[in-house]
Amino acid sequence: MTTEEKFMRLAIRQARVAEKEDEVPVGCVIVKDGKVIARAHNRRQNTQIATYHAEILAIERACKKIGFWRLEDCELYVTLEPCPMCAGAAINARIKRIVFGAYDRKAGCCGSVYNLPTDERFNHRPQVEGGVLCEECANILSTYFKNKRKTP
């Protein structure tokens, strides 16, 4: 198992927590020096707060953990390609690297719809690796939405 797969599996655990809470199953972990310093999952449905995506919550927790807003030596692992808000937050937090599982052809901004991290107009450009455990991450989401459509 690669390092990327190891940390993506931890993000998948967070996605499963979200699923149990009837949230869109997206999970995220932030890693610094090979150790998880923050973990989170989507909480938008239960809180009714639009910004409560897994990545935003994990970034907030990581900043609190290290006591600094710059997460320059950190890697963000998330089960779904970040949306514009989350990709922007990773850029603003100076995340070193974004690793995601499933591609998001409707809202993904790390290569699918747009590629914010490579836009040279920004002063920081995180490295990006997509497709880590892609099938597993995508299946969690598709199963969740299939089940939601069955429930009245």
Side-chain angles (χ1 to χ4, degrees):
M1 178 183 310
T2 67
T3 300
E4 288 78 14
E5 290 170 341
K6 171 186 160 188
F7 290 122
M8 188 60 69
R9 292 222 175 274
L10 295 176
I12 288 170
R13 280 192 204 165
Q14 287 297 304
R16 294 289 188 197
V17 172
E19 184 177 40
K20 285 180 182 149
E21 295 175 3
D22 201 25
E23 292 281 352
V24 174
V26 176
C28 180
V29 297
I30 296 181
V31 176
K32 180 178 172 62
D33 300 325
K35 294 181 181 170
V36 174
I37 62 165
R39 60 187 83 223
H41 58 276
N42 276 3
R43 299 202 58 243
R44 187 168 62 164
Q45 295 302 320
N46 289 313
T47 63
Q48 291 299 299
I49 298 174
T51 58
Y52 273 29
H53 288 203
E55 301 96 317
I56 300 296
L57 295 170
I59 288 169
E60 287 179 6
R61 290 171 184 169
C63 290
K64 286 178 185 173
K65 174 86 174 184
I66 67 169
F68 195 48
W69 67 270
R70 290 179 186 250
L71 301 176
E72 294 168 322
D73 297 323
C74 296
E75 298 175 318
L76 183 148
Y77 290 81
V78 63
T79 56
L80 180 64
E81 181 180 358
C83 70
M85 174 180 68
C86 295
I91 290 167
N92 284 329
R94 310 297 196 270
I95 294 280
K96 179 171 84 174
R97 184 167 174 240
I98 299 168
V99 180
F100 68 87
Y103 289 85
D104 186 346
R105 307 274 182 230
K106 294 181 180 179
C109 279
C110 287
S112 290
V113 175
Y114 188 69
N115 201 339
L116 277 173
T118 63
D119 192 318
E120 293 182 4
R121 294 171 289 184
F122 293 116
N123 64 339
H124 178 72
R125 288 181 291 285
Q127 301 167 13
V128 175
E129 181 178 347
V132 175
L133 299 178
C134 180
E135 195 172 307
E136 188 173 346
C137 292
N139 286 339
I140 293 167
L141 288 157
S142 61
T143 300
Y144 172 81
F145 286 113
K146 215 178 283 181
N147 290 337
K148 288 300 273 182
R149 284 189 289 274
K150 286 181 189 174
T151 308

